[in-house]
Amino acid sequence: WAQLFTLNADNTTGLASLTLSGPVSDLQSYIAAQWNTQDGSLGSLPPYMQNRIHELENKHEYDSAEYDAIDKVLTTYFTLRTAPAPDCFTTSASGANLEIYVGMQGPSEFAVGGVLGDLNLTSRLDEIRVPVLLTSGKYDTMRPSIVETMYKQIPVSEWKILPHSGHVSMIDDAGLMNDVVADFLGRVEKSSLDSSLFSPKVWNNNGLIKDREGEVILLPKSDTQWLAVLVTAVV
């Protein structure tokens, strides 16, 4: 929710950059993208599982053993793919305040209700004037169409897809995630010290490099995990 702070805070003096991991700006589009039959996470499940989730949701059987079992299995598909889950994740999850979580998210794990049900910040993203690093996992619940919309809307931004990750890319792709964030922050600091214009990278995402308009840039595939080219930000 860093973008909420940035857009609504009275004073963001000193804010040099943002790193948004598995971000979302439009909650209803986020859910629709998950169920998309072409690129959705939930939309990729066998038809029986999709139908069963819908049946349980329609009956509001969120506390049933079957619903809980499905949720736990799908967590290992799309949220945290590292198994068994490390202590840092399980400890954090065990301390969650479910009353607040359900109030914000709603009782369903496959739809959005609660106070965030109609949240849509997409039209305001162009107000963010600092460099932004967007990261998402290849198997993330935040599907590429969701993050790409943010990438196009934020004036100075770059987007890296982590190839082995679900939503928790800082665990699933810990080394690469650290390298990407360190590289981004290093360039932010350098541009500040040099008083120069920050130039975001266009990352090689799964062998496909796109410019800000979504057009594919034809470059040779690299054996490295994070080939990038420098482009000048349009501000």
Side-chain angles (χ1 to χ4, degrees):
W1 306 109
Q3 63 262 42
L4 268 175
F5 165 78
T6 305
L7 292 170
N8 295 327
D10 292 332
N11 185 356
T12 57
T13 301
L15 181 66
S17 67
L18 290 173
T19 298
L20 306 178
S21 179
V24 61
S25 61
D26 178 355
L27 271 294
Q28 291 303 315
S29 292
Y30 147 68
I31 289 298
Q34 285 205 72
W35 286 102
N36 184 278
T37 57
Q38 300 299 315
D39 190 44
S41 48
L42 298 174
S44 71
L45 297 174
Y48 173 79
M49 285 192 67
Q50 294 189 47
N51 292 335
R52 201 62 201 123
I53 290 170
H54 288 309
E55 289 171 5
L56 292 168
E57 296 250 307
N58 290 337
K59 295 177 182 179
H60 304 290
E61 295 185 6
Y62 307 118
D63 296 325
S64 71
E66 183 181 7
Y67 191 91
D68 182 62
I70 291 173
D71 178 41
K72 286 180 178 176
V73 169
L74 295 188
T75 292
T76 67
Y77 289 10
F78 309 123
T79 303
L80 179 69
R81 303 181 76 232
T82 300
D87 291 347
C88 59
F89 181 84
T90 56
T91 300
S92 176
S94 67
N97 186 316
L98 294 182
E99 181 179 357
I100 294 175
Y101 179 81
V102 172
M104 296 175 66
Q105 158 85 18
S108 169
E109 290 299 324
F110 311 109
V112 175
V115 297
L116 296 179
D118 296 321
L119 180 71
N120 188 346
L121 300 173
T122 305
S123 64
R124 295 190 59 198
L125 292 178
D126 61 359
E127 298 175 26
I128 299 176
R129 310 311 295 182
V130 297
V132 178
L133 170 64
L134 304 169
T135 68
S136 59
K138 180 179 179 180
Y139 306 96
D140 206 325
T141 51
M142 307 304 173
R143 303 310 300 147
S145 62
I146 299 304
V147 187
E148 185 171 16
T149 295
M150 299 182 68
Y151 173 62
K152 291 179 177 179
Q153 286 292 112
I154 299 172
V156 185
S157 62
E158 53 192 67
W159 172 28
K160 174 60 182 172
I161 297 176
L162 286 300
H164 309 102
S165 296
H167 188 55
V168 190
S169 52
M170 63 289 299
I171 294 176
D172 287 336
D173 267 308
L176 179 57
M177 180 74 170
N178 286 344
D179 289 345
V180 169
V181 173
D183 177 83
F184 171 72
L185 294 178
R187 288 182 285 113
V188 169
E189 183 175 20
K190 185 177 186 303
S191 69
S192 176
L193 292 174
D194 296 345
S195 298
S196 59
L197 182 68
F198 177 82
S199 295
K201 281 186 174 180
V202 179
W203 294 89
N204 180 353
N205 285 326
N206 302 321
L208 195 63
I209 304 176
K210 294 183 178 181
D211 63 18
R212 296 187 63 79
E213 284 67 48
E215 296 296 324
V216 174
I217 301 172
L218 297 178
L219 292 175
K221 287 188 177 180
S222 171
D223 290 332
T224 65
Q225 290 184 323
W226 56 276
L227 170 69
V229 292
L230 287 174
V231 294
T232 301
V234 179
V235 294

